[in-house]
Amino acid sequence: MDADDVQPGGRDYERGRLMMAEDVNAAVRGAVAAGATDITVNDAHGPMRNILPESLHPVARLIRGKPKQMGMLEGLAPEHDAAVFVGYHSRAGALGVLSHSFMGHEIEDMWLDGRPVGEIGLAHAAATGIGVPVAVLTGDDCACAEMTEWDASVTTVAVKNARDRFSADLRPSDEARAAIEKAVAARLSVPPKPPAAAAASSTLTVRWQSASVAATLLGIPGVTSADTRTVQAQGTVPSLYRLFGVWMRVAASLTNQHPYC
């Protein structure tokens, strides 16, 4: 339950990528059981080249690699009936397994309209802003609790219980995948209602570890400073999500720090 499991080159990475593919396949089987005929899987972790095409369920199409303008939500469009988030973690500062917000130590805190947010909340808000409801999320118990706090209508499946940031009580693999498949099938058997109309404008605020990152980002039109390490911007959530991807690429170029986990 550390970087060796989830980062290329780690001693257990090859095993981890296959385990992730099996969790995704469980979700795909659930979607098929519910009647889905058009399924897209977006590989969204780290280098976004984790899932081997031959290990993915044959009915699903795979979006793989980076850069992607919409990162974790690449390929998501209003025509989709629902989104399923597989293998998520809690935000920076939480005592969840591998908890961080997008760039590990480089991003200390994030807020959306003043509300603390991490990858779960921001991806959920952007998906609903696109017009697609989030139906199911899988992850550890902390990630599931974070999703429920953000939107209690989302079905969650805890595949492990966090003991600390790098330790967990793992649910047996077959049991966890059966739970994912069952939850997705049940949730998608009746198409989720379209999300409520998103706010016309929201504010995304990010506090960086480095003042250099914040100062450089001020060169992007529309980005303003809250303090020497905190920047913010306004817009629709999908547009902010895309803009935030640019911020991360700038930060990576300045810090020479690969995204953590």
Side-chain angles (χ1 to χ4, degrees):
M1 298 283 78
D2 60 24
D4 276 341
D5 294 301
V6 298
Q7 289 184 322
R11 60 188 173 188
D12 290 324
Y13 171 71
E14 293 302 324
R15 178 170 170 270
R17 73 195 306 193
L18 293 175
M19 292 181 69
M20 180 64 190
E22 286 305 314
D23 281 9
V24 171
N25 286 339
V28 172
R29 290 193 300 271
V32 171
T37 57
D38 186 0
I39 301 171
T40 298
V41 172
N42 178 35
D43 191 332
H45 165 70
M48 302 187 181
R49 296 176 62 249
N50 307 285
I51 296 176
L52 298 170
E54 62 271 21
S55 69
L56 186 65
H57 194 295
V59 305
R61 294 195 310 275
L62 177 64
I63 299 177
R64 190 170 187 262
K66 63 189 305 184
K68 298 171 181 169
Q69 293 183 354
M70 288 300 289
M72 294 180 180
L73 301 181
E74 187 73 17
L76 191 66
E79 301 83 67
H80 288 106
D81 294 312
V84 175
F85 292 170
V86 180
Y88 272 63
H89 54 77
S90 52
R91 65 177 181 262
L95 198 62
V97 176
L98 299 176
S99 59
H100 64 282
S101 294
F102 295 97
M103 288 190 70
H105 304 300
E106 193 54 48
I107 294 177
E108 292 190 349
D109 287 296
M110 300 176 63
W111 299 266
L112 183 63
D113 292 330
R115 186 178 181 183
V117 70
E119 297 178 33
I120 290 171
L122 191 58
H124 176 283
T128 57
I130 291 169
V132 181
V134 178
V136 179
L137 174 138
T138 81
D140 74 345
D141 57 328
C142 293
C144 291
E146 187 171 315
M147 182 73 269
T148 299
E149 181 181 6
W150 190 268
D151 180 356
S153 72
V154 177
T155 298
T156 61
V157 181
V159 299
K160 51 185 170 283
N161 293 319
R163 291 297 181 92
D164 208 298
R165 194 167 181 232
F166 300 111
S167 60
D169 180 355
L170 304 179
R171 198 168 177 180
S173 296
D174 289 346
E175 177 185 311
R177 288 163 191 155
I180 293 171
E181 182 175 347
K182 180 179 179 181
V184 173
R187 188 69 179 84
L188 298 185
S189 61
V190 178
K193 295 179 180 179
S201 182
S202 290
T203 301
L204 177 65
T205 305
V206 178
R207 182 172 180 81
W208 304 86
Q209 184 186 59
S210 170
S212 176
V213 172
T216 303
L217 292 177
L218 294 178
I220 299 175
V223 179
T224 60
S225 174
D227 59 46
T228 58
R229 290 193 290 130
T230 307
V231 299
Q232 56 189 24
Q234 294 181 323
T236 65
V237 179
S239 68
L240 289 172
Y241 195 91
R242 180 175 176 176
L243 176 63
F244 176 65
V246 177
W247 292 3
M248 287 194 289
R249 288 191 282 277
V250 171
S253 70
L254 290 171
T255 62
N256 196 31
Q257 175 180 316
H258 293 295
Y260 176 75
C261 297

